Amino acid sequence: MKRCYLIRHCLPDFPGGQRYCLGRTDFPLGAEGLAQAEEVAGILPPVSRVYSSPLRRAVQTAQAIGTPQLVEGLQELYAGDWDGLPFSEIKIRFPELYAARGINPALPLPNGESDQAGLHRFQRAIVQCARESPGDFALVSHGGILRLFLSTLRPGFPKPGYGQIIPLSWNGSTFQLQED
């Protein structure tokens, strides 16, 4: 039995302090995010490998833990026409969809990656990491894709917070949430 520690990247450096729909937009961590990454590294149990999405905010978080192996399948969902826009602009350009997604976050984004496609991509990647890691491992990814994956283990699992660690067990074929 292996442990997998899923970690949402730490707080990005949002230009002008505005919140953005990041998807594949590649903002680095800010000063607060870098400090969070050090805190995560300080409380994480020892791991044999560190895997990361190739986006900077994830890589920088993972680098606080060790030398990460970058895995394309761990990237965030592509947010299509919303990707890289501040939410203040999204509210103006897409008012009906913005309001509807506040009620149902599974609604597809215009020209974005579907939840089903993103989840399939992520599941292949996490299983590959579990199979190749010689022992317990950390995996740094993104809030939206982690929420989708974790909801397959516990329906309605909320989007993890920045720097949140979610422990899983891997029995060689399936993942299970750990309660510690």
Side-chain angles (χ1 to χ4, degrees), residues 48-107:
S48 61
R49 296 257 170 95
V50 180
Y51 298 97
S52 177
S53 155
L55 295 173
R56 282 187 293 178
R57 59 194 182 270
V59 172
Q60 288 177 299
T61 301
Q63 286 172 331
I65 301 164
T67 303
Q69 292 181 291
L70 306 186
V71 179
E72 289 290 326
L74 301 179
Q75 289 184 341
E76 180 62 285
L77 291 167
Y78 174 59
D81 294 350
W82 288 24
D83 211 303
L85 295 178
F87 283 106
S88 59
E89 184 176 335
I90 292 169
K91 285 181 196 179
I92 293 167
R93 289 179 54 188
F94 305 91
E96 295 85 13
L97 182 57
Y98 182 84
R101 278 187 57 90
I103 298 164
N104 180 4
L107 289 173

Side-chain angles (χ1 to χ4, degrees), residues 8 13 44 81 98:
R8 182 180 180 192
D13 187 17
L44 190 70
D81 294 350
Y98 182 84

